Amino acid sequence: MDWGMKNRLSQLMPQGKCFFMPIDHGYFQGPTRNLEQPGETVKPLLPYADAIFVTRGVLRAALDPLTSKPIVLRVSGCTSMVGKDLANEELTTSIAEIIRLNASAVGLSVFIGSEYEKETLKNLATLVNQCEDYGIPVMAVTAVGREMDKREARYLKLCCRIAAELGARVVKTYWCEEHFDQVVNGCPVPVIMAGGPRCETELEVLEFVHDGIQKGAVGINLGRNVWQSPHPVAMAKALRAIVHDNVSVKQAHEILKQTKDSKPKAKA
């Protein structure tokens, strides 16, 4: 691994652990609740995140380059919630633009098992070919579109392994209740957990994150379960403690309660 690649990965994953804050949802969902003004949403959460996962449009328009964290740039898209198929993505951002924006890494979705499996995997291979020349890590996101029932170990470990085989340096995937350790152990590159739809309770978020970290995930990429929480700062602080300090669920829940008691609630 060359120096540039190693340096970028160490920035993104200090001590081999990471908490990425995704605010890229608007690329297919539009102005998602609590993400209408993404710059304002993410500002109080920056102290707890290691990197921000964001599109180039929001990066340019809403984030301060002098105070922001390292950037993982979302570089796939061209579909929407109202379109026919979320899996029909293409690459949206050139390597020249990636370099100009000083991205520490890039991320794109792959839709394995969909009608557009080959196209999205080709997107991944193309992006790896371009980015490796410049020491820029590629994060593959094992997306499932609207088919959330695919989030089980047999499917996820297939997706993660294929993404790694095609050259992804990091894989973002969903946690699953059973056999998540098999998903991680079958993937030769670091695995980061996605959040998915917002959980019903704060404790539920802490429990699944703790379980995933204990089973080998190096970190998290959680958005809605943080900035749609009534107490986003408290949630971010508690999650960071699980990822970076290896605290228990009970300890993290106590951090959350203590922090939210001292902070005003987010706007509904």
Side-chain angles (χ1 to χ4, degrees):
M1 187 184 301
D2 65 52
W3 186 89
M5 181 73 73
K6 186 175 182 179
N7 184 52
R8 288 185 174 92
L9 286 171
S10 66
Q11 288 177 347
L12 294 167
M13 291 186 263
Q15 290 80 52
K17 299 290 185 178
C18 65
F19 179 2
F20 293 175
M21 179 61 62
I23 55 169
D24 63 321
H25 302 64
Y27 92 92
F28 70 100
Q29 291 184 340
T32 307
R33 182 173 63 83
N34 286 11
L35 204 59
E36 296 89 349
Q37 296 181 308
E40 295 303 308
T41 294
V42 79
K43 189 181 298 182
L45 306 175
L46 288 176
Y48 308 99
D50 296 305
I52 307 299
F53 190 26
V54 64
T55 62
R56 61 177 170 180
V58 167
L59 175 60
R60 288 171 176 163
L63 297 186
D64 184 346
L66 298 179
T67 60
S68 186
K69 294 284 182 141
I71 295 300
V72 180
L73 195 66
R74 158 69 70 174
V75 296
S76 69
C78 303
T79 60
S80 77
M81 291 294 291
V82 297
K84 182 179 179 181
D85 196 331
L86 285 171
N88 191 16
E89 287 196 348
E90 295 186 7
L91 293 176
T92 60
T93 312
S94 69
I95 186 64
E97 179 83 336
I98 291 165
I99 294 168
R100 183 162 50 244
L101 292 170
N102 196 31
S104 296
V106 294
L108 83 167
S109 296
V110 293
F111 291 83
I112 292 169
S114 76
E115 183 179 348
Y116 297 97
E117 174 185 274
K118 179 181 178 181
E119 288 82 356
T120 60
L121 291 177
K122 178 64 174 175
N123 289 341
L124 172 58
T126 298
L127 188 64
V128 169
N129 290 342
Q130 294 172 346
C131 289
E132 286 286 320
D133 285 342
Y134 298 94
I136 299 172
V138 174
M139 179 176 74
V141 179
T142 64
V144 296
R146 299 182 180 91
E147 302 148 329
M148 299 305 286
D149 59 323
K150 284 185 177 179
R151 294 190 301 166
E152 49 90 27
R154 183 178 179 185
Y155 172 76
L156 296 176
K157 66 183 180 180
L158 170 71
C159 297
C160 292
R161 184 55 177 262
I162 289 172
E165 296 272 356
L166 287 175
R169 294 283 187 166
V170 180
V171 176
K172 169 186 169 183
T173 197
Y174 292 103
W175 172 83
C176 55
E177 188 171 356
E178 296 183 353
H179 309 305
F180 184 69
D181 56 327
Q182 295 181 11
V183 177
V184 176
N185 293 335
C187 183
V189 302
V191 171
I192 297 173
M193 287 181 287
R198 183 181 169 193
C199 293
E200 293 298 319
T201 67
E202 296 166 335
L203 184 59
E204 185 181 347
V205 180
L206 301 178
E207 287 174 339
F208 94 74
V209 169
H210 183 269
D211 183 78
I213 295 295
Q214 294 302 305
K215 290 178 178 174
V218 303
I220 56 176
N221 188 311
L222 266 66
R224 284 171 289 182
N225 281 305
V226 179
W227 39 257
Q228 284 185 344
S229 166
H231 304 277
V233 170
M235 179 59 76
K237 186 175 182 179
L239 289 171
R240 183 174 180 85
I242 291 175
V243 172
H244 282 287
D245 301 326
N246 200 32
V247 303
S248 67
V249 173
K250 183 179 180 180
Q251 289 171 316
H253 199 225
E254 186 60 31
I255 290 169
L256 188 148
K257 289 191 293 183
Q258 290 177 356
T259 306
K260 73 181 184 181
D261 287 345
S262 64
K263 297 283 185 181
K265 283 190 176 185
K267 294 179 180 179

